[in-house]
Amino acid sequence: MCLAIPARVTALHDDAMATVSLGGVIKTISVALLDAVAVDDYVLVHVGYALHRVSEEEAARTLALMAEGGLLDEELREIAQ
């Protein structure tokens, strides 16, 4: 089973890469699989790749469900609230 987690894009880079943030965790990921991504978009991230863009509301719902299921650490649970 695979798990993709929503994260907010904070910066775009020239090489089809982007910086994302989730609960203070900052990571550089590939956005090469997506047609268009902008700063402040939310994307589903799996093993360093953005797989799909989602709305802010969908990202919040997903994080809340993950928190409810005990899949997030305490810091990320606060974001999901």
Side-chain angles (χ1 to χ4, degrees):
M1 180 169 113
C2 297
L3 178 65
I5 192 161
R8 186 175 61 83
V9 175
T10 60
L12 296 172
H13 310 289
D14 291 337
D15 54 357
M17 301 295 282
T19 302
V20 296
S21 174
L22 177 64
V25 175
I26 307 297
K27 184 165 179 68
T28 301
I29 63 163
S30 172
V31 292
L33 300 175
L34 301 179
D35 290 332
V37 178
V39 171
D40 290 328
D41 279 353
Y42 282 82
V43 293
L44 292 179
V45 179
H46 176 65
V47 293
Y49 289 87
L51 302 177
H52 185 68
R53 275 192 340 253
V54 294
S55 68
E56 184 175 0
E57 294 78 17
E58 182 65 24
R61 279 194 301 269
T62 300
L63 289 170
L65 286 171
M66 293 173 80
E68 184 178 311
L71 298 174
L72 300 179
D73 66 22
E74 202 58 40
E75 184 174 302
L76 294 179
R77 287 181 193 175
E78 291 175 14
I79 293 171
Q81 303 288 318

